[in-house]
Amino acid sequence: MTERVRLGKYLWTALTIGDFVVLNMAYFLTSFVMGTNTPFTSVQMWILVNLSFIPSVFFFSGIHDLRILYADKMVLSAFKSAVVECGVLAAILYAFNIFNVGMYHGLFFAFIFFLLLSVWWLMSRRLLKKLRRMGLNFKRVIIIGAGQTGELLYDELQSDAGYGYRMMGFFDDDVEKLKSCKGVYTAGLDKVADFVNMNKIDVIYYTHDAEDNGLISRIMRIAEEVGASFIYVPKFNKMLNGQFQPSSMGNMPILKHSISPLHKSWNKVLKRILDLMVSVPFLIVSPIIFIPVAIIIKLTSPGPVIFKQKRTGIYGRDFMCYKFRTMRVNADSDKVQATENDPRKTKFGDFLRRSSIDELPQFFNVLLGNMSVVGPRPHMLSHTEEYSALIDKYMVRHAVKPGITGWAQVNGYRGGTKHLWQMEKRVEYDVWYIRNWNIFLDIKIIFLTAFNGLRKDKNAY
């Protein structure tokens, strides 16, 4: 057993113990806040709380082994873990009729545990990535197949040293393909067995021809003999690069394409609940902002307070988008995008744009259901027609409701697009959001938007 494997096992054990420590912190904090003279603070309850966490450890402690995981998905896993813990605990209390701990105690404990577990998992992930950048807890990997798929996989594995992958070599019988694999060991397929044994390889990625049964069988046997993980990576195709879910047609395994998790009914309901939780309270207090803004707009330039413009919504349907008017009334408002020193803008309008206050009436769009708080920004109809002909996957961004803010905006791609590549990057981020959506990603984007709003954005004009 190598030192890095031993270290990995020690780390997993330490992190899992840390999960139990966090659980007990949540329990004792709940006891302190809610009162100590209750059934919740008994020794029996403390034992049950810890026993109820065992199924959660079984289902979710594997998160400590995952090397590539985004923060929002980690928080989502923490939420699921807290739900399992509290669900098992509630089931035990109900089934055996032990005692009634009280609804408020249970809800407070569930919330505190979820909060602390999220923080702990995010902190431990940062610690692990730091250790891996120092050269600890790494995995030695090789790639079978030096084609395009192998190169894309290599780029992904090497994109962050914190993932802890040490690339050891490419193996292929195609000499021309191996020539493009610079800076790493390359060899023919007949050298795989000796190399794996001599270099104690941990993971073998297979990107070669899936029809070569003999080769797959041989590589899998090599992996089994040394205890290495064998991972098959299907060949990439530009037409088949979305999200796929395993399914079957009789005995035939198939992959079913799904554009976005938001096409599932439950996720639509969840997102709508978040939209209403954000938009309704804001609109209740909005007169505090809307009335002074409306008065100043009227005093500084003639024209309506609210600017209404048709924009492209979900599935390409048009809808009327609301904004505070920031320009003098002009004939080009539906055709020409605002620029940094646009002479059509009023001085107060320029302030509204830079502070993003001009977008606030779009919370009415959210309430009406033709926009969401988070999603791809809606574009003018003329832009939709123009860019859909120039940018691949442009129309994919209309697979979900447009948003007041979005993943592209918090990553620096907001405001005007002087060059085509800027819109291409915006579309790239929008499509990534659509395909990787979860409710905690929305919450993350909302907080990042609020944080960025406190800073001056050079692209806001």
Side-chain angles (χ1 to χ4, degrees):
M1 184 182 293
T2 62
E3 288 301 320
R4 65 180 183 281
V5 173
R6 239 188 248 116
L7 178 60
K9 288 186 175 181
Y10 289 152
L11 281 172
W12 184 90
T13 301
L15 293 172
T16 303
I17 292 173
D19 294 343
F20 275 96
V21 171
V22 169
L23 173 72
N24 282 274
M25 287 175 62
Y27 171 77
F28 289 116
L29 185 58
T30 302
S31 300
F32 176 77
V33 173
M34 303 298 289
T36 56
N37 297 320
T38 66
F40 188 84
T41 60
S42 65
V43 175
Q44 297 95 318
M45 187 64 188
W46 174 73
I47 294 173
L48 287 176
V49 165
N50 281 274
L51 288 177
S52 300
F53 191 51
I54 293 175
S56 186
V57 170
F58 179 78
F59 286 113
F60 297 103
S61 63
I63 198 168
H64 298 310
D65 288 328
L66 295 177
R67 292 171 177 261
I68 303 178
L69 187 67
Y70 293 102
D72 51 276
K73 292 188 177 180
M74 182 170 287
V75 173
L76 179 61
S77 295
F79 176 76
K80 292 177 180 178
S81 181
V83 169
V84 170
E85 152 70 15
C86 296
V88 171
L89 180 60
I92 293 174
L93 294 175
Y94 178 78
F96 295 98
N97 195 24
I98 300 174
F99 41 70
N100 182 16
V101 300
M103 182 180 68
Y104 293 113
H105 282 76
L107 290 176
F108 186 81
F109 168 72
F111 174 74
I112 292 299
F113 178 50
F114 159 64
L115 190 64
L116 293 179
L117 190 64
S118 298
V119 172
W120 160 240
W121 279 2
L122 291 170
M123 289 176 59
S124 64
R125 176 50 55 100
R126 291 180 67 90
L127 174 62
L128 281 174
K129 293 188 76 170
K130 187 173 183 178
L131 288 173
R132 288 163 185 161
R133 290 190 181 101
M134 294 167 59
L136 301 173
N137 189 232
F138 62 87
K139 285 184 179 291
R140 288 180 169 147
V141 304
I142 61 170
I143 298 177
I144 308 298
Q148 181 186 21
T149 302
E151 292 179 11
L152 290 171
L153 175 63
Y154 171 77
D155 291 339
E156 189 66 34
L157 295 175
Q158 299 297 108
S159 62
D160 187 341
Y163 294 157
Y165 290 109
R166 183 167 297 182
M167 183 62 191
M168 302 300 292
F170 275 97
F171 293 83
D172 202 310
D173 285 338
D174 190 325
V175 178
E176 292 301 315
K177 289 181 179 178
L178 290 176
K179 286 181 180 179
S180 63
C181 305
K182 298 178 181 179
V184 67
Y185 177 82
T186 58
L189 296 171
D190 59 322
K191 304 292 185 182
V192 174
D194 291 338
F195 189 87
V196 168
N197 279 285
M198 291 178 61
N199 292 279
K200 298 182 174 61
I201 299 301
D202 299 301
V203 186
I204 300 175
Y205 287 97
Y206 186 95
T207 68
H208 210 275
D209 186 5
E211 300 297 323
D212 194 337
N213 295 331
L215 178 61
I216 292 179
S217 178
R218 179 158 63 90
I219 300 300
M220 289 181 69
R221 187 172 63 253
I222 292 171
E224 291 169 356
E225 289 173 352
V226 299
S229 299
F230 176 88
I231 300 176
Y232 171 70
V233 182
K235 288 187 178 295
F236 291 102
N237 184 301
K238 66 179 181 179
M239 301 302 295
L240 301 173
N241 61 350
Q243 298 292 322
F244 288 83
Q245 298 176 343
S247 185
S248 63
M249 183 70 68
N251 294 322
M252 176 68 69
I254 62 174
L255 294 174
K256 184 179 179 182
H257 182 242
S258 175
I259 296 177
S260 174
L262 276 171
H263 287 181
K264 294 181 179 179
S265 298
W266 171 245
N267 287 336
K268 289 180 182 178
V269 172
L270 198 61
K271 186 172 177 65
R272 183 59 178 162
I273 291 172
L274 178 64
D275 285 343
L276 294 176
M277 288 176 62
V278 175
S279 60
V280 171
F282 174 79
L283 290 174
I284 290 173
V285 301
S286 63
I288 299 173
I289 301 174
F290 284 12
I291 292 175
V293 169
I295 292 172
I296 298 174
I297 290 174
K298 272 298 192 182
L299 291 174
T300 53
S301 66
V305 171
I306 298 295
F307 173 68
K308 296 184 289 185
Q309 184 182 66
K310 278 190 175 182
R311 296 200 177 187
T312 308
I314 187 170
Y315 304 132
R317 300 167 187 160
D318 300 348
F319 74 99
M320 195 64 71
C321 183
Y322 304 122
K323 295 180 64 175
F324 281 123
R325 182 173 58 83
T326 59
M327 294 184 176
R328 298 173 182 86
V329 177
N330 65 91
D332 295 326
S333 58
D334 291 329
K335 302 174 184 178
V336 182
Q337 192 177 31
T339 57
E340 186 170 5
N341 298 308
D342 200 316
R344 296 174 298 167
K345 290 189 296 184
T346 64
K347 288 185 178 180
F348 185 61
D350 188 58
F351 163 75
L352 293 178
R353 282 179 171 272
R354 292 188 181 278
S355 61
S356 297
I357 293 175
D358 65 316
E359 309 283 0
L360 295 183
Q362 288 167 26
F363 279 102
F364 285 107
N365 287 114
V366 175
L367 187 65
L368 293 171
N370 46 37
M371 283 185 69
S372 180
V373 175
V374 180
R377 287 292 296 150
H379 289 166
M380 293 186 296
L381 302 187
S382 59
H383 278 179
T384 300
E385 183 178 353
E386 175 187 356
Y387 288 119
S388 61
L390 297 174
I391 301 176
D392 185 31
K393 298 185 181 65
Y394 180 85
M395 292 305 293
V396 175
R397 67 193 303 276
H398 301 111
V400 299
K401 290 180 184 179
I404 297 175
T405 184
W407 187 235
Q409 281 64 45
V410 298
N411 279 281
Y413 292 94
R414 59 165 295 187
T417 50
K418 299 177 183 177
H419 308 286
L420 182 62
W421 68 265
Q422 292 173 308
M423 183 60 77
E424 288 174 336
K425 289 298 293 184
R426 181 179 291 183
V427 171
E428 180 183 326
Y429 278 101
D430 287 339
V431 172
W432 184 93
Y433 165 81
I434 291 169
R435 289 176 172 165
N436 294 275
W437 178 90
N438 65 68
I439 195 66
F440 291 104
L441 178 58
D442 273 6
I443 294 171
K444 174 182 177 180
I445 292 171
I446 291 171
F447 277 104
L448 286 175
T449 301
F451 176 75
N452 290 341
L454 300 175
R455 302 182 301 175
K456 185 177 180 181
D457 192 335
K458 64 181 181 179
N459 294 320
Y461 49 80

